[in-house]
Amino acid sequence: MRRVVKWAVRLLALAVVAGAVVFFGFLPAYVEDTSNNVIDHAPYPVSERAAALHKELIVGDWHADPLLWSRDLSQRGKRGQVDVPRLIEGNVALQVFTAVTKSPAGQNYDSNSAEAFDNITLLAVGQLWPLRTWTSLRERAIWQAEKLHRVEAQADGRLKIIKTAADLEDVLAAKARGEAIVGGILGIEGAHPLEGELANLDPIFDAGHRVYGLQHFFDNELGGSLHGEADTGLTEFGRAVVAELARRPVIIDLAHSSQQVARDVLAMTDMPLVVSHGGLHGHCPVKRNFPDDLMREIAATGGVIAMGYWAEVACDDITPTGIARMIVKAIETVGADHVSLGSDFDGSVETAFDTSELAALTSALLDAGVAEDQIRKVMGENMVRVLRARLR
């Protein structure tokens, strides 16, 4: 009997080890590979004129989530949509790297509970993030910032994290000299890492975060999400956070906030506001996209509306040609000075191109009849303007 028990214990131990190997060794990579797919495609056409123009552009992207995953971003990856080598191939000068810290199970664009099981906890455990991140949203935001700093140290000068206006100008000057460099800007997707305490803004800011989304897919201590249950505006705590952010050299991002939160922020601030990733309701009439009148109010602050590359915000064609059509509609709606790029790359979205292929978007914009000066604004100059207005 003892021998049987011993063998049973050994088999159980082997099963546990095998399960751990699958869970920690293979599952996270599989999840990322299936979540951040690039549709198979032949090379997109890029005209000689477009290729020449693209090399001259300042290209900027307001939103991508590669810090969530276990890849080495200093190396060209075989999965996902963003890393430093591919950013350089795409001539991207400025990339916001956003920290995702909580995501409800069953996530959808209509209604999510803040009490739903959190997918990021499972991802943190599965990818062996530090123990401090397993139970703290604040620590997840800080750790993902630390991760980007490690990438910066490993990237042989190809990545510089931008925290100040001087950092921004250094990157732009390096790009003008022809250097292969990307300026990385840290942000948080939803301000729930504050964990209901304004004092937590200091360590998150000190970690390097400069773009602050207020909500993600659920209502939080600051107010209602566009995809939450209450559809409310800013809470008293939310107003205190917004007032403090307005005082600091940071950008407020309204993506995923309820319409009422957006209107509350508009009413209490005098600064350029950003919708970091999404689409245009007049082009794709879905809940995820703010109504056009609200987009115009946001644009009127001197801010920008950043166009995403995935089907749920673009509605139909997500090839460079389709995204160009959406950008044309956005220019018609809010003006060329207020349209930017906000890919949502590596944010659990399927796209038809990755960041290395952005010259194809420049080519598609030219084919759509967009003037070169407008293309320069959309591809990055508008982003630079907002960053210069806010960073110090």
Side-chain angles (χ1 to χ4, degrees), residues 14-95:
L14 285 172
V16 169
V17 170
V21 168
V22 171
F23 183 74
F24 295 111
F26 300 105
L27 189 59
Y30 172 78
V31 170
E32 183 192 2
D33 198 32
T34 55
S35 298
N36 301 313
N37 178 54
V38 179
I39 297 170
D40 288 339
H41 60 273
Y44 294 110
V46 178
S47 67
E48 289 185 11
R49 178 188 173 199
L53 174 61
H54 192 77
K55 288 179 181 179
E56 299 175 2
L57 298 177
I58 298 171
V59 180
D61 180 354
W62 280 103
H63 193 96
D65 299 330
L67 297 176
L68 192 58
W69 309 102
S70 58
R71 287 180 284 125
D72 179 356
L73 298 178
S74 69
Q75 302 299 314
R76 199 184 200 286
K78 295 182 179 179
R79 62 179 190 267
Q81 298 148 344
V82 169
D83 49 50
V84 172
R86 281 184 280 182
L87 286 165
I88 289 172
E89 289 173 31
N91 194 36
V92 178
L94 303 170
Q95 178 65 62

Side-chain angles (χ1 to χ4, degrees), residues 119-312:
N119 293 321
I120 306 303
T121 299
L122 188 62
L123 199 62
V125 174
Q127 294 186 135
L128 297 176
W129 290 9
L131 282 173
R132 62 189 167 95
T133 69
W134 292 15
T135 56
S136 171
L137 305 187
R138 182 191 68 181
E139 292 304 316
R140 291 176 191 176
I142 292 171
W143 185 78
Q144 289 181 65
E146 293 169 354
K147 180 177 180 179
L148 191 64
H149 280 87
R150 289 193 295 273
V151 175
E152 181 184 37
Q154 297 164 356
D156 298 323
R158 296 172 298 160
L159 173 69
K160 178 180 177 60
I161 296 175
I162 294 172
K163 300 177 185 177
T164 67
D167 293 338
L168 173 64
E169 299 305 328
D170 285 347
V171 168
L172 295 176
K175 286 290 291 182
R177 292 192 298 269
E179 295 181 24
I181 188 171
V182 178
I185 304 160
L186 283 156
I188 57 173
E189 188 153 28
H192 27 278
L194 296 178
E195 297 179 340
E197 297 289 339
L198 191 58
N200 281 332
L201 185 56
D202 285 335
I204 292 171
F205 179 88
D206 292 344
H209 290 289
R210 294 296 182 268
V211 179
Y212 287 78
L214 302 182
Q215 280 79 30
H216 196 199
F217 271 90
F218 52 90
D219 304 328
N220 62 14
E221 297 95 340
L222 285 77
S225 163
L226 190 61
H227 329 286
E229 296 179 312
D231 196 29
T232 55
L234 287 171
T235 63
E236 183 177 346
F237 176 67
R239 290 180 178 277
V241 171
V242 169
E244 179 60 25
L245 291 175
R247 284 191 286 269
R248 295 189 182 220
V250 302
I251 291 88
I252 293 178
D253 175 15
L254 298 175
H256 293 294
S257 292
S258 71
Q259 292 184 38
Q260 189 55 54
V261 163
R263 295 187 190 283
D264 288 348
V265 174
L266 282 162
M268 65 176 292
T269 60
D270 182 17
M271 59 186 286
L273 299 171
V274 169
V275 177
S276 67
H277 59 303
L280 195 78
H281 199 272
H283 175 80
C284 179
V286 295
K287 184 177 180 181
R288 175 62 178 81
N289 297 333
F290 281 158
D292 290 358
D293 65 332
L294 182 53
M295 290 295 208
R296 292 189 190 95
E297 290 184 53
I298 294 167
T301 68
V304 291
I305 314 302
M307 299 290 103
Y309 307 157
W310 72 105
E312 286 81 1

Side-chain angles (χ1 to χ4, degrees), residues 333-352:
T333 304
V334 300
D337 291 335
H338 306 289
V339 183
S340 278
L341 306 180
S343 65
D344 203 18
F345 280 147
D346 288 337
S348 297
V349 296
E350 181 178 66
T351 63

